[in-house]
């Protein structure tokens, strides 16, 4: 039972344009959401998070939007840069301390 | 430099053998976690520990064991009961429950 879903396994975007990565969740008890970036053969690095009391959080080029009624969150990267090419995971947590991860979206930023 | 150190980077297991993956953190974090990543899949939680001398099973604990004798160390043993151990193993820690988790560089385990 996949409680956190990233339905797009890959995404290609031109340098300078906006990248939009999507994530859906099914568990209404989730109230804290995170995005991680991962390069091959390395551990994920934390990018940005959002609590369910907010609908938007921004950090530099990265903005996360949360739509609780739709159980949907998205990560916007503007402008996209070649160094952003990686796999992006969304994750969610509820009352327990553990995170539930999606399957990831591979972003390729082309020149 | 504060961080999470996993060793070794690559590990090979013979059939019927137990192997132990090391995870050490000097971030003074209370909680530590072990995940497994398979190709094309997300991270799946094996075990986690919120405090020394206490740990809980995650979603896929069968065939694995852990200990938490020190705050900074959370080793994972892949036992011979784990029939499909080939994967990328990631250790993480967080300052508190439900905090941001920070990851080590991972250990890739293969079966000979």
């Amino acid at each position: 039972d996949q409680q956190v879903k990233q339905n797009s396994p890959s995404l290609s975007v031109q340098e300078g344009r906006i990248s939009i990565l999507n994530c859906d969740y099914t568990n209404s008890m989730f109230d804290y959401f995170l995005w991680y970036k991962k390069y091959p053969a390395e551990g994920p690095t934390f990018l940005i998070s959002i609590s369910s009391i907010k609908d938007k959080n921004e950090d530099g080029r990265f903005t996360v939007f949360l739509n609780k009624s739709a159980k949907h969150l998205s990560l916007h990267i503007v402008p996209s840069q070649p160094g952003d090419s990686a796999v992006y995971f969304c994750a969610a947590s509820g009352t327990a301390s553990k995170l539930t991860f999606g399957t990831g979206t591979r972003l390729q930023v082309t020149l | 430099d504060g961080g999470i150190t996993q060793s070794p980077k690559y590990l090979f297991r013979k059939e019927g053998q137990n192997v132990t993956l090391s995870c050490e953190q000097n971030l003074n974090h209370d909680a530590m976690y072990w995940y497994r990543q398979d190709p094309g899949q997300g991270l799946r939680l094996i075990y986690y520990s919120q405090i020394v001398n206490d740990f809980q099973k995650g979603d896929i604990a069968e065939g694995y064991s852990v200990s938490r004798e020190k705050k900074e160390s959370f080793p994972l043993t892949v036992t011979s009961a784990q029939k499909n151990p080939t994967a990328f193993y990631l250790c993480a820690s967080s300052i508190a429950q439900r905090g941001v988790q920070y990851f080590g560089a991972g250990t890739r385990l293969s079966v000979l």
Side-chain angles (χ1 to χ4, degrees), chain A residues 1 7 23 36-37 41 45 51 60 62 64 74 78 84 99:
Chain A
D1 177 29
N7 292 318
C23 180
Y36 284 84
K37 173 181 179 179
T45 54
S51 164
F62 302 93
V64 56
S74 61
V78 182
D84 295 330
L99 294 178

Side-chain angles (χ1 to χ4, degrees), chain B:
Chain B
D1 266 292
I4 301 173
T5 302
Q6 289 188 242
S7 62
K9 193 169 179 65
Y10 300 96
L11 186 58
F12 297 91
R13 192 191 90 165
K14 295 179 183 177
E15 198 164 331
Q17 185 182 40
N18 292 352
V19 292
T20 297
L21 285 62
S22 170
C23 179
E24 303 277 331
Q25 55 100 358
N26 60 5
L27 300 168
N28 200 31
H29 285 174
D30 286 314
M32 296 187 75
Y33 311 82
W34 274 105
Y35 293 89
R36 168 182 172 139
Q37 186 188 17
D38 293 281
Q41 295 195 34
L43 282 64
R44 293 184 291 166
L45 183 65
I46 304 172
Y47 268 98
Y48 63 107
S49 167
Q50 296 172 7
I51 197 168
V52 174
N53 292 322
D54 187 45
F55 48 82
Q56 288 79 41
K57 293 182 179 179
D59 302 316
I60 54 165
E62 187 174 347
Y64 300 97
S65 66
V66 293
S67 62
R68 186 86 187 276
E69 297 176 3
K70 298 185 297 182
K71 186 176 185 177
E72 55 272 16
S73 178
F74 191 39
L76 173 74
T77 296
V78 184
T79 75
S80 57
Q82 172 50 245
K83 298 306 179 190
N84 184 22
T86 298
F88 190 52
Y89 290 86
L90 287 157
C91 178
S93 70
S94 63
I95 194 165
Q97 290 186 43
R98 309 190 69 216
V100 174
Q101 293 182 20
Y102 296 92
F103 286 82
T107 293
R108 184 163 298 281
L109 175 62
S110 303
V111 177
L112 288 176

Side-chain angles (χ1 to χ4, degrees), chain A residues 1-26:
Chain A
D1 177 29
Q2 195 76 27
Q3 296 187 67
V4 178
K5 300 178 186 179
Q6 295 178 255
N7 292 318
S8 298
S10 63
L11 175 68
S12 183
V13 172
Q14 271 192 321
E15 182 180 11
R17 308 291 283 265
I18 184 171
S19 295
I20 300 176
L21 296 97
N22 294 303
C23 180
D24 297 294
Y25 61 97
T26 57

Side-chain angles (χ1 to χ4, degrees), chain A:
Chain A
D1 177 29
Q2 195 76 27
Q3 296 187 67
V4 178
K5 300 178 186 179
Q6 295 178 255
N7 292 318
S8 298
S10 63
L11 175 68
S12 183
V13 172
Q14 271 192 321
E15 182 180 11
R17 308 291 283 265
I18 184 171
S19 295
I20 300 176
L21 296 97
N22 294 303
C23 180
D24 297 294
Y25 61 97
T26 57
N27 189 338
S28 58
M29 299 303 291
F30 288 150
D31 61 1
Y32 184 59
F33 304 89
L34 307 89
W35 283 95
Y36 284 84
K37 173 181 179 179
K38 185 181 181 301
Y39 293 117
E42 294 184 11
T45 54
F46 169 70
L47 273 177
I48 192 168
S49 64
I50 188 167
S51 164
S52 61
I53 63 173
K54 301 174 86 172
D55 54 19
K56 176 182 174 181
N57 189 26
E58 193 171 350
D59 184 2
R61 295 187 298 115
F62 302 93
T63 303
V64 56
F65 295 92
L66 176 62
N67 182 334
K68 289 188 292 295
S69 60
K71 294 191 177 68
H72 176 83
L73 64 152
S74 61
L75 175 69
H76 293 209
I77 307 173
V78 182
S80 301
Q81 300 174 354
D84 295 330
S85 297
V87 177
Y88 289 78
F89 291 97
C90 68
S93 74
T95 53
S97 64
K98 54 183 187 174
L99 294 178
T100 300
F101 284 83
T103 52
T105 296
R106 182 177 303 277
L107 173 66
Q108 183 170 6
V109 179
T110 59
L111 298 173

